[in-house]
Amino acid sequence: MTQPRTLDDALQTRNIPRTIDEWEELLDADGTHAVETDVGEMAFVEDDGQLHLHYAFDSLEAMKLVWHSMFDVLRPRILELGYPYLVIDLIEHPNRRWIEGLLDENDFEELGDWLEFTHNDIRDLDPPEIPEGLTMRRGTEDDHDAVIALEGAAYGDFRDGATATRSRLAEAGWLGVLERDGNLVAYALNSGVEQRHGTVLSCAVQPREQNRGIGKVILGAATYQLGSAGARSASLRVWPEIPRGARIAQAVGYRVGRRGIELRRDSDEAILAERRDDQRIRNMRVRFGGWR
């Protein structure tokens, strides 16, 4: 850190609520690339198969003064590190409209709002009953390509992509798959258990198999697995624009927790330049189209 901080005056503006100790632990973690000033820090963090942007500043005014110069220092790392995009989450963020404008100036696009669902007592859950005709088993590396394809089909625009999913598959604590006649019908991917908490990293059902109760089965199995591995609580992220996700989570016993918004910035500068040109042309048409 460039100078000592106290709880009274530090980190008033953060993309995700954290204590000072949590923030400093993030800065010191492997896979963190940070730039620091006297008024705050900005960091790119390699985590969960994605490259995340995090920041913490002493005030909105300070952040406004140094944001662009700090982001310019870190920006080359996006392509160097080989990620297809940079992602940022805004959670419980004050003046959200203001920061979204700043992110827009730096080529971030809104992916969408999300909900975190939590289940605070999974110790004594019963395993779900597997429907007739389906087989549940633990997934293997041979299933990875099919899981990636299923994630893309089920999540559509909200998919995280092959790079992120392969990384999660490599580091996950558990992969479970449901099959019908040897074909993948659904899967769930869990983190390991830390401090008696686990995360369902991803969970999906083949589109043609949806609305048959299979989502509740696979999420129930994933939640049961976390409980059997020692977790007392579990969480997962749901996109409201995929409403069946929220319904299934609630049916398994999850309840809404934190809310946030995710934005992403493409790592391909040529694509970003083309996008800016297209936006400029559209803006000109809006401004001057009245006299045509």
Side-chain angles (χ1 to χ4, degrees):
M1 303 289 286
T2 56
Q3 68 178 29
R5 285 186 164 87
T6 69
L7 287 172
D8 294 330
D9 61 10
L11 307 184
Q12 295 302 308
T13 300
R14 312 174 298 282
N15 65 302
I16 298 176
R18 285 190 179 88
T19 65
I20 291 179
D21 288 343
E22 289 171 339
W23 175 247
E24 293 195 16
E25 183 178 350
L26 181 70
L27 290 181
D28 292 337
D30 293 338
T32 293
H33 314 267
V35 57
E36 305 181 22
T37 73
D38 288 341
V39 296
E41 293 85 33
M42 181 182 293
F44 287 176
V45 180
E46 298 179 76
D47 181 50
D48 195 27
Q50 296 174 309
L51 185 63
H52 293 258
L53 170 63
H54 295 275
Y55 60 76
F57 291 94
D58 292 343
S59 68
L60 285 171
E61 292 74 16
M63 179 179 175
K64 185 176 180 180
L65 287 173
V66 299
W67 170 278
H68 290 289
S69 60
M70 295 177 74
F71 187 77
D72 285 344
V73 171
L74 288 172
R75 182 167 55 186
R77 302 295 292 166
I78 305 173
L79 190 58
E80 292 171 9
L81 293 168
Y83 290 89
Y85 55 84
L86 174 66
V87 60
I88 183 170
D89 283 308
L90 303 178
I91 302 177
E92 300 174 12
H93 197 290
N95 301 300
R96 173 172 148 177
R97 183 174 299 177
W98 183 86
I99 185 59
E100 286 177 349
L102 189 59
L103 291 169
D104 180 68
E105 292 174 9
N106 288 273
D107 300 303
F108 282 86
E109 291 193 312
E110 180 179 326
L111 182 64
D113 292 293
W114 52 261
L115 300 174
E116 181 181 71
F117 277 74
T118 59
H119 196 314
N120 293 320
D121 188 8
I122 64 172
R123 290 172 293 178
D124 299 320
L125 294 181
D126 294 324
E129 183 177 344
I130 308 302
E132 186 177 354
L134 296 179
T135 301
M136 182 85 194
R137 64 172 174 82
R138 184 157 187 165
T140 69
E141 188 173 351
D142 291 339
D143 298 304
H144 288 189
D145 286 344
V147 167
I148 291 169
L150 174 50
E151 182 208 43
Y155 282 85
D157 291 340
F158 296 96
R159 65 189 181 278
D160 290 329
T163 298
T165 305
R166 287 194 187 281
S167 178
R168 290 170 186 161
L169 286 164
E171 299 179 8
W174 178 81
L175 169 65
V177 299
L178 275 173
E179 291 181 320
R180 188 192 305 278
D181 299 326
N183 297 313
L184 185 67
V185 170
Y187 79 89
L189 189 65
N190 285 350
S191 71
V193 175
E194 295 185 7
Q195 298 180 345
R196 298 186 177 182
H197 180 83
T199 302
V200 181
L201 301 170
S202 181
C203 183
V205 178
Q206 286 281 6
R208 64 178 179 273
E209 297 277 2
Q210 292 172 2
N211 300 314
R212 299 181 181 179
I214 296 174
K216 184 178 178 181
V217 172
I218 191 65
L219 180 57
T223 308
Y224 173 79
Q225 188 278 328
L226 289 171
S228 66
R232 291 186 175 181
S233 61
S235 61
L236 73 156
R237 180 177 293 192
V238 170
W239 299 100
E241 291 195 41
I242 308 178
R244 60 182 174 275
R247 292 196 298 268
I248 292 169
Q250 290 173 323
V252 176
Y254 287 81
R255 296 295 178 261
V256 176
R258 299 188 302 177
R259 301 169 183 263
I261 180 174
E262 181 175 322
L263 300 95
R264 293 181 180 180
R265 183 188 190 276
D266 201 292
S267 63
D268 192 323
E269 294 291 337
I271 290 177
L272 295 177
E274 181 178 354
R275 188 179 298 156
R276 287 191 293 269
D277 286 342
D278 289 343
Q279 183 63 48
R280 178 179 56 83
I281 292 171
R282 285 196 297 271
N283 289 342
M284 289 179 64
R285 288 173 179 167
V286 169
R287 291 173 59 196
F288 303 121
W291 50 262
R292 290 187 176 183

